Structure formats: C-alpha cells, structure tokens
Amino acid sequence: SDLMNQILGGLVRNMTDEEINQFAENLLRPQLNAGIEASRQNFETTKLSKEQEIANLAANLTRAIDEQNSAYRQSKANVETAALTRGMGRSSYTLQTLANQGDALAKAVRELTDENARKTGQIQDQITQAAKQNSQTQGRLNTDFASQLAAKVQELKDTQRREDNSNYLTAISAAMGQQTTGTQQTTGTTDTTGTTDTASHTTSTTGSAGSGGSSKKKKASSDVDAISYG
C-alpha cells in the first residue's frame, strides 16, 4: 500500500476526455473561424459588387428610357409642326406617322427593359452562385474541422498514454529506489550495533579472567608463607 501510494504520488493527473476534447477544440477552432470569416467576407464583397452592378443597370435603364422619351417628344413635335406648315394638321398621314413613332418608342423601351432584365438576372444568378459557394465552403470547413478535431483528440490521447506509461515507470523506479535505500540503511545499523556489542562482551570477559588469575596467585603465596613458619 505504501509503495502504491508512492507510485501514484509520482504521477501527474491525466486530462479527462472532456478536457482533451476542449483542449483540442481550443487549438483548432480559431483556424476554423478564420476560414469561415474569410469565406463570408468574400461572399459579402462579391454580393455588394454585384448589387452595385444591378443598381448601375437600373440607373442606365432609367436614363436610356428618358432619352427615348425625349427623342420621341422631339420627333412628335417636328411631325406636328411640319403637318401644320403644309396644312396637314390632322391628316391620316400625320396620324399614322405619329402612331409609328409611338410604336417605335414602345419597342425601344421594351428592348431596353428586356436587356436590363436579362443582365440583372445574370448578375442575380452570380450572387446566388456566390452564396452557394460560400455555403459549400463553410460546410467543407466544418467537415474538415470535425475530422481534424477527431484526429487531434486521438493524437492527444495517444501522447498522454505514452507519457502516462513513461511517468508510471519513472514513478515505480523512484518508489523502488526509495524502498531499497531504506532497507540498506536499516541493515547497516544492525551490523554496526552487533559489532559493537561483541567487542564489549569480549572486553568484559577478558577483564574477569585477569581478575581471577590475580586472586589465585595471592592465595598460593599465603600458603607458602604458612608452611615456612611452621
């Protein structure tokens, strides 16, 4: 249990799956947002440009129709003046001439309007195509982002797993090293104490033997003296 606590204590806490996903998204999201924004701005620029073209066409049409009306009015005035001068004010010829000029005006205005509608339609189609392209680009960017995000998450998980294994082995090595060092220190203390105790016992034994020998020698000397005096 102590060894396991030492091992676990040497490990760095791993990120959860949710944290890994969030970390990967934070890495990749700015690139996605930049791509989407670039596509949107490109579309907006194109749209504004095309809308300006449509506005210019409308202005040109208005100006062209005004010119046609002005020309018609001038032509009508000329016909009427000439007819009055010749005394043909309301003759069938004069009336037919004026009708023909009115038809010519209507035809010119119709042609101008139709041409304007055709060109405007083409430009509107270009705007629609640009919008479609923008949508497709953003869809592709989002699809690519999803794939890149999944790959980055897997890469981070694999990297964390490798680092986890490496850290685990390092923690085990460190923990085992601490346990080994502690065992060596305990053994060394026992050996030293044993040696000291043995030396002490040896000295004590030697001292007792010397004391006993001296006593025996003194007793023998007294015995000799007693025999000599008797």
Side-chain angles (χ1 to χ4, degrees), residues 67-84:
E67 290 173 355
Q68 288 293 327
N69 285 326
S70 178
Y72 168 74
R73 287 191 297 269
Q74 183 62 47
S75 178
K76 179 183 178 182
N78 292 340
V79 169
E80 291 175 341
T81 299
L84 289 174

Side-chain angles (χ1 to χ4, degrees), residues 193-208:
T193 303
T195 303
T196 303
D197 290 346
T198 303
S200 176
H201 290 316
T202 303
T203 305
S204 177
T205 303
T206 303
S208 299

